[in-house]
Coordinates of all heavy atoms in Angstrom, one line a residue:
M21 N 24.1 -34.7 3.4 CA 23.7 -34.2 2.1 C 22.2 -33.9 2.1 O 21.4 -34.6 2.8 CB 24.0 -35.3 1.0 CG 23.1 -35.1 -0.2 SD 24.0 -35.0 -1.7 CE 23.0 -36.2 -2.6
T22 N 21.8 -32.8 1.5 CA 20.4 -32.4 1.5 C 19.5 -33.4 0.7 O 19.9 -33.8 -0.4 CB 20.3 -31.0 0.9 OG1 21.3 -30.2 1.5 CG2 18.9 -30.4 1.2
E23 N 18.4 -33.7 1.2 CA 17.5 -34.7 0.6 C 16.4 -34.1 -0.3 O 16.0 -33.0 0.1 CB 16.8 -35.6 1.7 CG 17.8 -36.1 2.7 CD 17.7 -37.6 2.8 OE1 16.6 -38.2 2.7 OE2 18.8 -38.2 2.9
R24 N 16.1 -34.8 -1.3 CA 14.9 -34.4 -2.1 C 13.7 -34.3 -1.3 O 13.4 -35.1 -0.4 CB 14.7 -35.4 -3.2 CG 15.7 -35.3 -4.4 CD 15.5 -36.4 -5.3 NE 14.1 -36.4 -5.9 CZ 13.5 -37.4 -6.5 NH1 14.2 -38.5 -6.6 NH2 12.3 -37.3 -7.0
L25 N 12.9 -33.3 -1.6 CA 11.6 -33.2 -0.9 C 10.6 -34.2 -1.5 O 10.6 -34.4 -2.7 CB 11.0 -31.7 -1.0 CG 11.8 -30.6 -0.5 CD1 11.1 -29.3 -0.7 CD2 12.1 -30.8 1.0
S26 N 9.7 -34.7 -0.6 CA 8.6 -35.5 -1.1 C 7.7 -34.6 -2.0 O 7.7 -33.4 -1.8 CB 7.8 -36.1 0.0 OG 7.2 -35.1 0.7
A27 N 6.9 -35.2 -2.8 CA 5.9 -34.5 -3.6 C 5.0 -33.6 -2.8 O 4.8 -32.5 -3.1 CB 5.1 -35.4 -4.5
E28 N 4.6 -34.2 -1.6 CA 3.7 -33.4 -0.7 C 4.5 -32.2 -0.1 O 3.9 -31.1 0.0 CB 3.2 -34.4 0.4 CG 2.3 -33.8 1.3 CD 1.1 -33.0 0.7 OE1 0.7 -33.4 -0.4 OE2 0.7 -31.9 1.3
A29 N 5.7 -32.4 0.4 CA 6.5 -31.3 1.0 C 6.8 -30.2 -0.1 O 6.7 -29.1 0.3 CB 7.8 -31.9 1.5
R30 N 7.0 -30.7 -1.3 CA 7.3 -29.7 -2.4 C 6.0 -28.8 -2.6 O 6.1 -27.6 -2.8 CB 7.7 -30.4 -3.6 CG 8.5 -29.6 -4.6 CD 9.0 -30.4 -5.7 NE 7.9 -31.3 -6.3 CZ 8.1 -32.5 -6.6 NH1 9.3 -33.1 -6.5 NH2 7.1 -33.2 -7.2
R31 N 4.9 -29.5 -2.7 CA 3.6 -28.8 -3.0 C 3.3 -27.8 -1.8 O 2.9 -26.7 -2.1 CB 2.4 -29.8 -3.0 CG 1.9 -30.0 -4.5 CD 0.6 -30.7 -4.5 NE 0.6 -32.0 -3.8 CZ 1.0 -33.2 -4.3 NH1 1.5 -33.2 -5.5 NH2 1.0 -34.3 -3.6
Q32 N 3.6 -28.3 -0.6 CA 3.3 -27.4 0.5 C 4.3 -26.2 0.5 O 3.8 -25.0 0.7 CB 3.6 -28.2 1.8 CG 2.8 -27.6 3.0 CD 2.8 -28.6 4.1 OE1 2.6 -29.8 3.9 NE2 2.9 -28.1 5.4
A33 N 5.5 -26.4 0.2 CA 6.5 -25.3 0.1 C 6.1 -24.3 -1.0 O 6.2 -23.1 -0.9 CB 7.9 -25.8 -0.2
L34 N 5.6 -24.8 -2.2 CA 5.2 -24.0 -3.3 C 4.0 -23.1 -2.9 O 3.9 -22.0 -3.4 CB 4.9 -24.8 -4.5 CG 6.1 -25.4 -5.3 CD1 5.7 -26.3 -6.4 CD2 7.0 -24.3 -5.8
G35 N 3.2 -23.6 -2.0 CA 2.0 -22.8 -1.6 C 2.4 -21.5 -0.9 O 1.7 -20.5 -1.0
G36 N 3.7 -21.4 -0.4 CA 4.1 -20.2 0.3 C 5.1 -19.4 -0.6 O 5.8 -18.6 -0.1
L37 N 5.2 -19.8 -1.9 CA 6.2 -19.2 -2.8 C 5.4 -18.6 -4.0 O 5.4 -19.3 -5.1 CB 7.2 -20.2 -3.3 CG 8.3 -20.5 -2.3 CD1 9.2 -21.7 -2.9 CD2 9.2 -19.3 -2.1
P38 N 4.9 -17.4 -3.9 CA 4.2 -16.8 -5.0 C 5.0 -16.8 -6.4 O 6.1 -16.5 -6.4 CB 4.0 -15.3 -4.6 CG 4.0 -15.4 -3.1 CD 5.0 -16.5 -2.8
G39 N 4.3 -17.4 -7.4 CA 4.9 -17.4 -8.7 C 5.7 -18.6 -9.1 O 6.0 -18.8 -10.3
W40 N 6.0 -19.4 -8.1 CA 6.8 -20.6 -8.4 C 5.9 -21.8 -8.6 O 4.9 -22.0 -7.9 CB 7.8 -20.9 -7.2 CG 8.9 -19.9 -7.1 CD1 8.8 -18.7 -6.4 CD2 10.2 -19.9 -7.7 NE1 10.0 -18.0 -6.5 CE2 10.9 -18.8 -7.3 CE3 10.8 -20.9 -8.5 CZ2 12.2 -18.5 -7.8 CZ3 12.1 -20.6 -8.9 CH2 12.8 -19.4 -8.6
T41 N 6.3 -22.6 -9.6 CA 5.5 -23.8 -10.0 C 6.4 -25.0 -10.2 O 7.7 -24.8 -10.4 CB 4.7 -23.5 -11.3 OG1 5.6 -23.2 -12.3 CG2 3.6 -22.4 -11.1
E42 N 5.9 -26.1 -10.3 CA 6.7 -27.3 -10.6 C 7.0 -27.3 -12.1 O 6.1 -26.9 -12.9 CB 5.9 -28.6 -10.4 CG 5.3 -28.6 -9.0 CD 5.2 -30.0 -8.4 OE1 6.0 -30.8 -8.8 OE2 4.3 -30.2 -7.5
V43 N 8.2 -27.6 -12.5 CA 8.6 -27.7 -13.9 C 8.1 -29.1 -14.4 O 8.3 -30.1 -13.8 CB 10.1 -27.6 -14.1 CG1 10.5 -27.9 -15.5 CG2 10.6 -26.2 -13.6
Q44 N 7.4 -29.0 -15.6 CA 6.9 -30.3 -16.2 C 8.1 -31.1 -16.7 O 9.0 -30.6 -17.3 CB 6.0 -29.9 -17.3 CG 4.6 -29.3 -16.9 CD 4.0 -30.1 -15.8 OE1 3.7 -31.3 -15.9 NE2 3.7 -29.4 -14.6
G45 N 8.1 -32.4 -16.4 CA 9.0 -33.3 -17.0 C 10.3 -33.5 -16.3 O 11.2 -34.2 -16.7
R46 N 10.5 -32.7 -15.2 CA 11.7 -32.9 -14.4 C 11.5 -32.5 -12.9 O 10.5 -31.7 -12.7 CB 12.9 -32.2 -14.9 CG 12.9 -30.7 -15.0 CD 14.2 -30.1 -15.5 NE 15.2 -30.1 -14.5 CZ 16.3 -29.3 -14.5 NH1 16.4 -28.5 -15.5 NH2 17.2 -29.4 -13.6
D47 N 12.3 -32.9 -12.0 CA 12.1 -32.6 -10.6 C 12.8 -31.2 -10.4 O 14.0 -31.2 -10.0 CB 12.8 -33.7 -9.8 CG 12.4 -33.6 -8.3 OD1 12.1 -32.5 -7.8 OD2 12.4 -34.6 -7.6
A48 N 12.0 -30.2 -10.6 CA 12.6 -28.8 -10.4 C 11.4 -27.9 -10.3 O 10.3 -28.2 -10.5 CB 13.4 -28.5 -11.7
I49 N 11.7 -26.7 -9.8 CA 10.7 -25.6 -9.7 C 11.2 -24.4 -10.5 O 12.4 -24.2 -10.8 CB 10.5 -25.2 -8.2 CG1 11.7 -24.6 -7.5 CG2 9.8 -26.3 -7.4 CD1 11.5 -24.0 -6.2
G50 N 10.2 -23.6 -11.0 CA 10.5 -22.5 -11.9 C 9.7 -21.3 -11.7 O 8.6 -21.4 -11.1
K51 N 10.2 -20.2 -12.1 CA 9.4 -18.9 -12.1 C 10.0 -18.0 -13.2 O 11.2 -18.0 -13.4 CB 9.5 -18.2 -10.7 CG 8.8 -16.9 -10.7 CD 8.7 -16.3 -9.3 CE 8.0 -14.9 -9.3 NZ 7.8 -14.4 -7.9
T52 N 9.1 -17.3 -13.8 CA 9.4 -16.3 -14.8 C 9.2 -14.9 -14.2 O 8.1 -14.6 -13.8 CB 8.6 -16.5 -16.1 OG1 8.9 -17.7 -16.7 CG2 9.0 -15.4 -17.1
F53 N 10.3 -14.2 -14.0 CA 10.2 -12.9 -13.4 C 10.2 -11.9 -14.6 O 11.0 -12.0 -15.5 CB 11.5 -12.5 -12.6 CG 11.6 -13.3 -11.3 CD1 12.2 -14.6 -11.2 CD2 11.1 -12.8 -10.1 CE1 12.3 -15.3 -10.1 CE2 11.2 -13.5 -8.9 CZ 11.8 -14.7 -8.9
I54 N 9.3 -10.9 -14.5 CA 9.2 -9.9 -15.6 C 9.4 -8.5 -14.9 O 8.6 -8.2 -14.0 CB 7.9 -9.9 -16.4 CG1 7.8 -11.3 -17.0 CG2 7.9 -8.8 -17.4 CD1 6.5 -11.6 -17.7
F55 N 10.4 -7.8 -15.3 CA 10.8 -6.5 -14.7 C 10.4 -5.4 -15.6 O 9.8 -5.6 -16.7 CB 12.3 -6.5 -14.4 CG 12.7 -7.5 -13.3 CD1 13.1 -8.8 -13.7 CD2 12.5 -7.3 -12.0 CE1 13.4 -9.8 -12.8 CE2 12.9 -8.2 -11.0 CZ 13.3 -9.5 -11.5
K56 N 10.7 -4.1 -15.2 CA 10.3 -2.9 -16.0 C 11.2 -2.8 -17.2 O 10.7 -2.4 -18.3 CB 10.6 -1.7 -15.1 CG 10.2 -0.4 -15.7 CD 10.2 0.8 -14.7 CE 11.5 1.1 -14.1 NZ 12.4 1.9 -14.9
D57 N 12.4 -3.2 -17.1 CA 13.4 -3.1 -18.2 C 14.6 -3.9 -18.0 O 14.7 -4.6 -16.9 CB 13.8 -1.6 -18.4 CG 14.3 -0.9 -17.2 OD1 14.8 -1.7 -16.3 OD2 14.3 0.3 -17.0
F58 N 15.5 -3.9 -18.8 CA 16.7 -4.7 -18.7 C 17.6 -4.4 -17.5 O 18.1 -5.3 -16.8 CB 17.6 -4.6 -20.0 CG 18.9 -5.4 -19.9 CD1 18.9 -6.7 -20.0 CD2 20.1 -4.7 -19.6 CE1 20.1 -7.5 -19.9 CE2 21.3 -5.5 -19.4 CZ 21.3 -6.8 -19.6
N59 N 17.6 -3.1 -17.2 CA 18.4 -2.6 -16.0 C 17.8 -3.3 -14.7 O 18.6 -3.8 -13.9 CB 18.3 -1.1 -15.9 CG 19.4 -0.5 -15.1 OD1 20.5 -0.9 -15.2 ND2 19.0 0.4 -14.2
E60 N 16.5 -3.3 -14.6 CA 15.9 -4.0 -13.4 C 16.2 -5.5 -13.4 O 16.4 -6.1 -12.3 CB 14.4 -3.7 -13.4 CG 14.0 -2.2 -13.3 CD 14.1 -1.7 -11.8 OE1 13.8 -2.5 -10.9 OE2 14.6 -0.6 -11.7
A61 N 16.0 -6.1 -14.6 CA 16.2 -7.5 -14.7 C 17.7 -7.9 -14.3 O 17.9 -8.8 -13.6 CB 15.9 -8.0 -16.1
F62 N 18.6 -7.1 -14.8 CA 20.0 -7.5 -14.6 C 20.4 -7.1 -13.2 O 21.3 -7.8 -12.6 CB 20.9 -6.8 -15.6 CG 22.2 -7.6 -15.7 CD1 22.3 -8.8 -16.4 CD2 23.4 -7.0 -15.2 CE1 23.5 -9.5 -16.5 CE2 24.6 -7.7 -15.2 CZ 24.7 -8.9 -15.9
G63 N 19.8 -6.1 -12.6 CA 20.1 -5.8 -11.2 C 19.6 -6.9 -10.3 O 20.3 -7.3 -9.4
F64 N 18.4 -7.5 -10.6 CA 17.9 -8.6 -9.9 C 18.9 -9.8 -10.0 O 19.3 -10.5 -9.0 CB 16.6 -9.1 -10.4 CG 16.2 -10.4 -10.1 CD1 15.6 -10.7 -8.8 CD2 16.3 -11.5 -11.0 CE1 15.3 -12.0 -8.5 CE2 15.9 -12.8 -10.7 CZ 15.4 -13.1 -9.4
M65 N 19.4 -10.1 -11.2 CA 20.3 -11.2 -11.5 C 21.6 -11.0 -10.7 O 22.2 -11.9 -10.2 CB 20.6 -11.4 -13.0 CG 19.3 -11.8 -13.7 SD 19.6 -12.0 -15.5 CE 20.3 -13.7 -15.5
T66 N 22.1 -9.8 -10.7 CA 23.3 -9.5 -9.9 C 23.2 -9.8 -8.5 O 24.0 -10.5 -7.9 CB 23.7 -8.0 -10.2 OG1 23.8 -7.8 -11.6 CG2 25.1 -7.7 -9.5
R67 N 22.1 -9.3 -7.9 CA 21.9 -9.5 -6.4 C 21.6 -11.0 -6.2 O 22.1 -11.5 -5.2 CB 20.7 -8.6 -5.9 CG 21.1 -7.2 -5.8 CD 20.0 -6.3 -5.2 NE 18.9 -6.1 -6.1 CZ 18.9 -5.1 -7.0 NH1 19.9 -4.2 -7.0 NH2 17.9 -4.9 -7.8
A68 N 20.8 -11.6 -7.0 CA 20.5 -13.1 -6.8 C 21.8 -13.9 -7.0 O 22.0 -14.9 -6.3 CB 19.5 -13.5 -7.8
A69 N 22.7 -13.5 -7.9 CA 23.9 -14.2 -8.1 C 24.8 -14.2 -6.9 O 25.4 -15.2 -6.5 CB 24.7 -13.7 -9.3
L70 N 24.9 -13.0 -6.2 CA 25.7 -12.9 -5.0 C 25.1 -13.7 -3.9 O 25.8 -14.4 -3.1 CB 25.8 -11.4 -4.6 CG 26.6 -10.5 -5.6 CD1 26.5 -9.1 -5.2 CD2 28.0 -10.9 -5.7
A71 N 23.8 -13.7 -3.8 CA 23.1 -14.5 -2.7 C 23.3 -16.0 -3.0 O 23.6 -16.8 -2.1 CB 21.6 -14.2 -2.7
A72 N 23.2 -16.4 -4.3 CA 23.4 -17.8 -4.7 C 24.8 -18.3 -4.4 O 25.0 -19.4 -3.9 CB 23.1 -18.0 -6.2
E73 N 25.8 -17.4 -4.7 CA 27.2 -17.8 -4.4 C 27.4 -18.0 -2.9 O 28.1 -18.9 -2.5 CB 28.1 -16.7 -5.0 CG 29.6 -17.0 -4.9 CD 30.0 -18.3 -5.6 OE1 29.2 -18.9 -6.4 OE2 31.2 -18.6 -5.4
K74 N 26.8 -17.1 -2.1 CA 27.0 -17.2 -0.7 C 26.4 -18.5 -0.2 O 26.9 -19.1 0.7 CB 26.3 -16.0 0.0 CG 26.8 -15.6 1.3 CD 26.2 -14.4 1.9 CE 26.9 -13.1 1.3 NZ 26.3 -11.9 1.9
M75 N 25.2 -18.9 -0.8 CA 24.6 -20.2 -0.4 C 25.3 -21.4 -1.0 O 24.9 -22.5 -0.7 CB 23.1 -20.1 -0.8 CG 22.3 -19.1 -0.2 SD 20.7 -18.9 -1.0 CE 19.8 -20.4 -0.6
D76 N 26.2 -21.2 -1.9 CA 26.8 -22.3 -2.7 C 25.6 -23.1 -3.4 O 25.7 -24.3 -3.4 CB 27.7 -23.1 -1.9 CG 28.5 -24.1 -2.8 OD1 28.8 -23.7 -3.9 OD2 28.8 -25.2 -2.3
H77 N 24.6 -22.4 -3.9 CA 23.5 -23.0 -4.5 C 23.1 -22.2 -5.7 O 22.8 -21.0 -5.5 CB 22.4 -23.2 -3.6 CG 21.4 -24.2 -4.1 ND1 21.6 -25.5 -4.3 CD2 20.1 -24.0 -4.5 CE1 20.6 -26.1 -4.8 NE2 19.6 -25.2 -4.9
H78 N 23.2 -22.7 -6.9 CA 23.1 -21.8 -8.1 C 21.9 -22.1 -9.0 O 21.6 -23.3 -9.2 CB 24.5 -22.0 -8.9 CG 25.7 -21.7 -8.0 ND1 26.3 -22.7 -7.2 CD2 26.3 -20.6 -7.8 CE1 27.3 -22.1 -6.6 NE2 27.3 -20.8 -6.9
P79 N 21.4 -21.1 -9.6 CA 20.2 -21.2 -10.4 C 20.6 -21.6 -11.9 O 21.7 -21.3 -12.3 CB 19.6 -19.8 -10.4 CG 20.8 -18.9 -10.3 CD 21.8 -19.6 -9.4
E80 N 19.6 -22.2 -12.5 CA 19.6 -22.3 -14.0 C 18.7 -21.1 -14.4 O 17.6 -21.0 -13.9 CB 19.0 -23.6 -14.5 CG 19.7 -24.8 -13.9 CD 19.0 -26.1 -14.3 OE1 18.3 -26.2 -15.3 OE2 19.1 -27.1 -13.5
W81 N 19.2 -20.3 -15.3 CA 18.4 -19.1 -15.7 C 18.7 -18.6 -17.1 O 19.8 -18.9 -17.6 CB 18.4 -18.0 -14.6 CG 19.7 -17.5 -14.2 CD1 21.0 -17.8 -14.7 CD2 20.0 -16.6 -13.1 NE1 21.9 -17.1 -14.0 CE2 21.4 -16.4 -13.0 CE3 19.2 -15.9 -12.2 CZ2 22.0 -15.5 -12.1 CZ3 19.8 -15.1 -11.2 CH2 21.1 -14.9 -11.2
R82 N 17.8 -17.8 -17.6 CA 17.9 -17.3 -18.9 C 17.3 -15.9 -18.9 O 16.2 -15.7 -18.4 CB 17.1 -18.2 -19.9 CG 17.0 -17.7 -21.3 CD 16.4 -18.9 -22.1 NE 16.5 -18.5 -23.5 CZ 15.5 -17.9 -24.2 NH1 14.4 -17.7 -23.7 NH2 15.7 -17.7 -25.5
N83 N 18.0 -15.0 -19.5 CA 17.5 -13.6 -19.5 C 17.3 -13.2 -21.0 O 18.1 -13.3 -21.8 CB 18.5 -12.7 -18.8 CG 18.3 -11.2 -19.2 OD1 19.2 -10.6 -19.7 ND2 17.2 -10.6 -18.9
V84 N 16.1 -12.6 -21.2 CA 15.8 -11.9 -22.5 C 15.2 -10.6 -22.2 O 14.1 -10.5 -21.6 CB 14.8 -12.7 -23.4 CG1 14.6 -12.0 -24.7 CG2 15.4 -14.1 -23.7
Y85 N 16.0 -9.5 -22.4 CA 15.6 -8.1 -22.1 C 15.1 -8.0 -20.6 O 15.9 -8.0 -19.7 CB 14.6 -7.6 -23.1 CG 14.1 -6.2 -22.9 CD1 15.1 -5.2 -22.5 CD2 12.8 -5.8 -23.0 CE1 14.7 -3.9 -22.3 CE2 12.4 -4.5 -22.7 CZ 13.3 -3.5 -22.4 OH 12.9 -2.3 -22.1
K86 N 13.8 -7.9 -20.4 CA 13.3 -7.6 -19.0 C 12.8 -8.9 -18.4 O 12.2 -8.8 -17.3 CB 12.3 -6.5 -19.0 CG 11.0 -6.8 -19.8 CD 10.1 -5.7 -19.7 CE 8.8 -6.0 -20.5 NZ 7.7 -5.0 -20.3
T87 N 12.9 -10.0 -19.0 CA 12.4 -11.3 -18.5 C 13.5 -12.2 -18.0 O 14.6 -12.3 -18.7 CB 11.6 -12.0 -19.6 OG1 10.5 -11.2 -20.0 CG2 11.1 -13.4 -19.1
V88 N 13.4 -12.8 -16.8 CA 14.4 -13.7 -16.3 C 13.6 -15.0 -16.0 O 12.8 -15.0 -15.1 CB 15.1 -13.2 -15.1 CG1 16.1 -14.2 -14.6 CG2 15.7 -11.8 -15.4
E89 N 13.9 -16.1 -16.7 CA 13.3 -17.4 -16.5 C 14.3 -18.2 -15.6 O 15.4 -18.4 -15.9 CB 13.1 -18.2 -17.7 CG 12.1 -17.6 -18.7 CD 12.2 -18.3 -20.1 OE1 12.8 -19.4 -20.2 OE2 11.6 -17.8 -21.0
V90 N 13.8 -18.6 -14.4 CA 14.6 -19.3 -13.4 C 14.1 -20.7 -13.2 O 12.9 -20.9 -13.1 CB 14.6 -18.6 -12.1 CG1 15.6 -19.3 -11.1 CG2 15.0 -17.1 -12.2
V91 N 15.0 -21.7 -13.2 CA 14.7 -23.1 -12.8 C 15.7 -23.4 -11.7 O 16.9 -23.2 -11.8 CB 14.9 -24.0 -14.0 CG1 14.8 -25.5 -13.5 CG2 13.9 -23.7 -15.1
L92 N 15.1 -24.0 -10.6 CA 15.9 -24.4 -9.5 C 15.8 -25.9 -9.2 O 14.7 -26.4 -9.2 CB 15.5 -23.6 -8.2 CG 15.6 -22.1 -8.2 CD1 15.1 -21.5 -6.9 CD2 17.0 -21.7 -8.5
S93 N 16.9 -26.5 -9.1 CA 17.0 -28.0 -8.7 C 18.3 -28.2 -8.1 O 19.3 -27.5 -8.4 CB 16.8 -28.8 -10.0 OG 16.9 -30.2 -9.7
T94 N 18.4 -29.2 -7.2 CA 19.7 -29.5 -6.6 C 20.3 -30.6 -7.3 O 19.8 -31.8 -7.3 CB 19.4 -29.8 -5.1 OG1 18.8 -28.8 -4.4 CG2 20.8 -30.1 -4.4
H95 N 21.3 -30.3 -8.1 CA 21.9 -31.3 -9.0 C 22.5 -32.5 -8.3 O 22.3 -33.6 -8.7 CB 22.9 -30.6 -9.9 CG 22.4 -29.4 -10.6 ND1 23.0 -28.1 -10.6 CD2 21.2 -29.2 -11.3 CE1 22.2 -27.3 -11.2 NE2 21.2 -27.9 -11.7
D96 N 23.1 -32.2 -7.1 CA 23.7 -33.2 -6.4 C 22.7 -34.2 -5.9 O 23.0 -35.4 -5.6 CB 24.5 -32.7 -5.1 CG 25.6 -31.8 -5.5 OD1 26.0 -31.8 -6.7 OD2 26.1 -31.0 -4.7
A97 N 21.4 -33.8 -5.6 CA 20.4 -34.6 -5.1 C 19.4 -35.1 -6.2 O 18.6 -36.0 -5.9 CB 19.6 -33.9 -4.0
G98 N 19.6 -34.6 -7.4 CA 18.7 -35.0 -8.5 C 17.3 -34.5 -8.3 O 16.3 -35.2 -8.9
G99 N 17.0 -33.4 -7.7 CA 15.7 -32.9 -7.5 C 15.6 -31.7 -6.6 O 16.6 -31.1 -6.2
V100 N 14.4 -31.4 -6.2 CA 14.1 -30.2 -5.4 C 14.4 -30.5 -3.9 O 13.9 -31.5 -3.4 CB 12.7 -29.7 -5.6 CG1 12.4 -28.5 -4.6 CG2 12.4 -29.3 -7.0
T101 N 15.2 -29.7 -3.3 CA 15.5 -29.8 -1.9 C 15.2 -28.5 -1.2 O 14.8 -27.5 -1.8 CB 17.0 -30.1 -1.6 OG1 17.7 -29.0 -1.9 CG2 17.4 -31.3 -2.4
A102 N 15.4 -28.5 0.2 CA 15.2 -27.3 0.9 C 16.0 -26.1 0.4 O 15.7 -24.9 0.6 CB 15.4 -27.5 2.4
L103 N 17.2 -26.4 -0.2 CA 18.0 -25.4 -0.7 C 17.4 -24.6 -1.8 O 17.5 -23.4 -1.9 CB 19.3 -26.0 -1.2 CG 20.4 -26.5 -0.2 CD1 21.5 -27.3 -0.9 CD2 20.9 -25.3 0.6
D104 N 16.6 -25.3 -2.7 CA 15.9 -24.6 -3.8 C 14.8 -23.8 -3.2 O 14.6 -22.6 -3.7 CB 15.3 -25.7 -4.7 CG 16.4 -26.5 -5.3 OD1 17.3 -26.0 -6.0 OD2 16.5 -27.8 -5.0
I105 N 14.1 -24.2 -2.2 CA 13.0 -23.4 -1.6 C 13.6 -22.2 -1.0 O 13.1 -21.1 -1.1 CB 12.3 -24.3 -0.5 CG1 11.7 -25.6 -1.1 CG2 11.2 -23.4 0.2 CD1 10.8 -25.4 -2.2
A106 N 14.8 -22.3 -0.3 CA 15.4 -21.2 0.3 C 15.9 -20.1 -0.7 O 15.7 -18.9 -0.6 CB 16.6 -21.6 1.2
L107 N 16.4 -20.6 -1.8 CA 16.9 -19.7 -2.9 C 15.7 -19.0 -3.6 O 15.7 -17.8 -3.9 CB 17.8 -20.4 -3.9 CG 18.4 -19.6 -5.0 CD1 19.1 -18.4 -4.5 CD2 19.3 -20.4 -5.9
A108 N 14.6 -19.8 -3.7 CA 13.4 -19.2 -4.3 C 12.8 -18.1 -3.4 O 12.4 -17.0 -3.9 CB 12.3 -20.3 -4.5
Q109 N 12.8 -18.3 -2.1 CA 12.4 -17.3 -1.2 C 13.3 -16.1 -1.3 O 12.8 -14.9 -1.3 CB 12.4 -17.8 0.3 CG 11.2 -18.6 0.6 CD 11.4 -19.5 1.9 OE1 12.5 -19.7 2.3 NE2 10.3 -20.0 2.4
T110 N 14.6 -16.3 -1.3 CA 15.5 -15.2 -1.4 C 15.3 -14.4 -2.7 O 15.3 -13.1 -2.7 CB 17.0 -15.7 -1.4 OG1 17.2 -16.4 -0.2 CG2 18.0 -14.6 -1.6
M111 N 15.0 -15.1 -3.8 CA 14.8 -14.4 -5.1 C 13.5 -13.6 -5.1 O 13.5 -12.5 -5.6 CB 14.8 -15.4 -6.2 CG 16.1 -16.0 -6.6 SD 16.0 -17.1 -8.0 CE 17.7 -17.1 -8.6
N112 N 12.5 -14.1 -4.5 CA 11.2 -13.4 -4.4 C 11.5 -12.1 -3.5 O 11.0 -11.0 -3.9 CB 10.1 -14.2 -3.7 CG 9.4 -15.1 -4.7 OD1 9.8 -15.2 -5.9 ND2 8.3 -15.7 -4.3
A113 N 12.3 -12.2 -2.5 CA 12.5 -11.1 -1.6 C 13.3 -10.0 -2.4 O 13.1 -8.8 -2.3 CB 13.3 -11.5 -0.4
I114 N 14.3 -10.5 -3.2 CA 15.1 -9.5 -3.9 C 14.3 -8.8 -5.0 O 14.4 -7.6 -5.2 CB 16.3 -10.3 -4.6 CG1 17.3 -10.7 -3.5 CG2 17.0 -9.4 -5.6 CD1 18.4 -11.6 -4.0
A115 N 13.4 -9.6 -5.6 CA 12.5 -9.0 -6.7 C 11.5 -8.0 -6.1 O 11.0 -7.2 -6.8 CB 11.8 -10.1 -7.5
G116 N 11.2 -8.2 -4.8 CA 10.3 -7.3 -4.2 C 8.9 -7.7 -4.4 O 8.1 -7.1 -5.1
Ligands
H2B205 N1 23.8 -25.6 -7.3 C1 22.7 -26.4 -7.5 N2 21.6 -25.8 -8.0 N3 22.8 -27.7 -7.3 C2 23.9 -28.3 -6.8 O1 23.8 -29.5 -6.6 C3 25.0 -27.5 -6.5 C4 24.9 -26.1 -6.8 N4 26.1 -28.0 -6.0 N5 26.0 -25.3 -6.6 C5 27.2 -27.2 -5.5 C6 27.3 -25.9 -6.2 C7 28.4 -28.1 -5.6 O2 28.7 -28.4 -6.9 C8 29.7 -27.4 -5.0 C9 30.9 -28.2 -5.2 O3 29.4 -27.1 -3.7

């Protein structure tokens, strides 16, 4: 089973993940993506959903028009693991 990252490992990983920050009050990372319009936002969500399903690792997210708020945490581990870092990297790559 994937282990939670130490605070130091998490900080280090976030250093290489533009836009991602620690979520206050829980062991999770988050990013708010803002696109040109709803079409771009939902296109991102569609591609990210397919990648997430392939990884068997799923985001918590909320979409309002062109904004997508994403929170990543590994529920089975009760916190941030390497899986969250990998999905965050994939999402950044998809968003371009
Ligand atoms: N996604 C996330 N974010 N955390 C998990 O612990 C998790 C998941 N567990 N997707 C997976 C699915 C698990 O429930 C299934 C059974 O593999």
Side-chain angles (χ1 to χ4, degrees):
M21 158 127 130
T22 315
E23 310 240 317
R24 285 174 58 199
L25 297 182
S26 67
E28 180 50 34
R30 203 175 47 224
R31 254 195 304 278
Q32 202 165 323
L34 284 175
L37 280 175
W40 290 87
T41 57
E42 310 213 24
V43 172
Q44 292 309 305
R46 64 176 284 202
D47 192 335
I49 58 174
K51 176 171 178 175
T52 298
F53 291 88
I54 301 174
F55 297 91
K56 181 169 66 82
D57 53 25
F58 177 75
N59 200 42
E60 296 282 321
F62 201 74
F64 162 79
M65 293 180 83
T66 304
R67 287 186 283 275
L70 293 173
E73 182 63 7
K74 205 174 280 184
M75 295 167 72
D76 191 28
H77 194 65
H78 302 87
E80 302 173 28
W81 54 7
R82 174 170 190 265
N83 163 239
V84 179
Y85 181 42
K86 61 181 182 169
T87 299
V88 182
E89 294 171 14
V90 183
V91 171
L92 299 180
S93 178
T94 303
H95 307 127
D96 297 345
V100 177
T101 69
L103 287 172
D104 299 299
I105 302 304
L107 184 53
Q109 277 164 345
T110 299
M111 286 182 159
N112 275 9
I114 290 170

